[in-house]
Amino acid sequence: MEIGIIGAGNIGGTLARLFSEAGHKVMIANSRGPDSLRDLADRLGVQAVDRREAARARDLVVLALRPTVIAGLGADLFSETPADTIIVDTGNYYPEARDGRIAGIDEGLPESVWVAKTIGRPVLKAFNSIGAPSLATGSRPKGSKDRIALAVSGDDIAAKEKLMGLLDQIGFDSVDAGPLSQSWRQQPGTLGYCHDYETARLRAALAAANPDHVAHCRAEGDAFAIQLIAMHTGAGRV
């Protein structure tokens, strides 16, 4: 597969390594341009490119970005992206800890529904509910009892199946968390968020999520993010 990753932080960099190790062609980009990524790209065995080239990836584009960064990407970034390229949003919204207020999300849009509307392309939501350390070290062979499962939300069943196959390649199980409108079930603070559950427990956690508790869960997730930032550990989803 040809994969473009926009965002070179903990999640973007780890995914670049995992995809490259699985034998895929990976391009990585950030806001500062490819020259700032040469050393990282060389270590990971991937190609440093600009955002527009990463967005043209044939099979998969991963947005490992904060919502506020996505808001500023520009309406035409995906104008040359193939129509059947899968776009994955890995981000989380932390209004108090980091992002400030985003009206559409505060008014009730699930985070990745807002992302899809903002970039003008369908997206899948994945990789948002696992901490960076677990993503970096948690891959396991297929069938392992302690294999972590990741939630995948989206409206395109074929795209979800393709992404789930990729997850399997890099050492993780997956659970279909339903359409993108249900992706609030894997947002910060929910029962399935950052617990490294195996498949059955993650499926149960997603099913038990309560739509009336979305605001409360966000507040809990935000408080968790504030603690991480205060500790300056760099670990987790911030």
Side-chain angles (χ1 to χ4, degrees):
M1 294 176 67
E2 183 179 78
I3 299 171
I5 298 176
I6 303 177
N10 289 335
I11 298 300
T14 298
L15 288 174
R17 174 179 62 81
L18 292 172
F19 293 149
S20 178
E21 290 175 350
H24 300 287
K25 176 184 177 182
V26 180
M27 300 175 287
I28 191 166
N30 65 8
S31 61
R32 297 184 299 277
D35 287 342
S36 68
L37 292 172
R38 301 294 183 197
D39 290 344
L40 175 66
D42 288 344
R43 290 199 304 272
L44 299 178
V46 303
Q47 181 182 2
V49 299
D50 62 27
R51 285 177 170 181
R52 188 166 295 279
E53 187 170 356
R56 290 198 295 264
R58 183 179 63 248
D59 298 293
L60 177 70
V61 175
V62 177
L63 298 178
L65 300 168
R66 302 176 182 185
T68 48
V69 176
I70 288 175
L73 286 178
D76 67 339
L77 180 62
F78 296 96
S79 61
E80 299 177 26
T81 306
D84 56 352
T85 294
I86 300 167
I87 300 175
V88 176
D89 171 39
T90 75
N92 289 312
Y93 174 49
Y94 300 113
E96 300 297 334
R98 187 190 65 189
D99 298 321
R101 292 290 171 179
I102 296 175
I105 300 176
D106 286 343
E107 291 164 5
L109 286 178
E111 295 163 5
S112 291
V113 173
W114 175 86
V115 169
K117 289 179 177 293
T118 298
I119 69 171
R121 289 286 299 256
V123 304
L124 303 183
K125 188 177 189 74
F127 303 113
N128 77 295
S129 58
I130 183 171
S134 295
L135 184 64
T137 65
S139 61
R140 297 289 186 273
K142 189 176 183 67
S144 299
K145 291 183 179 180
D146 61 344
R147 204 181 203 213
I148 298 169
L150 303 180
V152 179
S153 300
D155 302 325
D156 187 327
I157 293 174
K160 283 195 286 189
E161 289 177 348
K162 190 173 182 179
L163 180 61
M164 289 176 176
L166 185 59
L167 287 176
D168 185 45
Q169 288 181 21
I170 64 173
F172 296 91
D173 287 333
S174 55
V175 172
D176 186 337
L180 199 65
S181 62
Q182 295 295 302
S183 60
W184 57 267
R185 295 180 183 274
Q186 64 195 82
Q187 289 178 179
T190 57
L191 296 171
Y193 178 77
C194 284
H195 288 294
D196 294 350
Y197 287 148
E198 45 74 36
T199 300
R201 292 190 70 186
L202 178 59
R203 187 173 285 118
L206 292 168
N210 189 330
D212 295 329
H213 294 169
V214 171
H216 175 72
C217 288
R218 175 167 292 129
E220 286 197 345
D222 222 4
F224 172 68
I226 289 170
Q227 290 178 352
L228 287 178
I229 291 172
M231 291 167 61
H232 296 287
T233 63
R237 287 292 323 173
V238 178

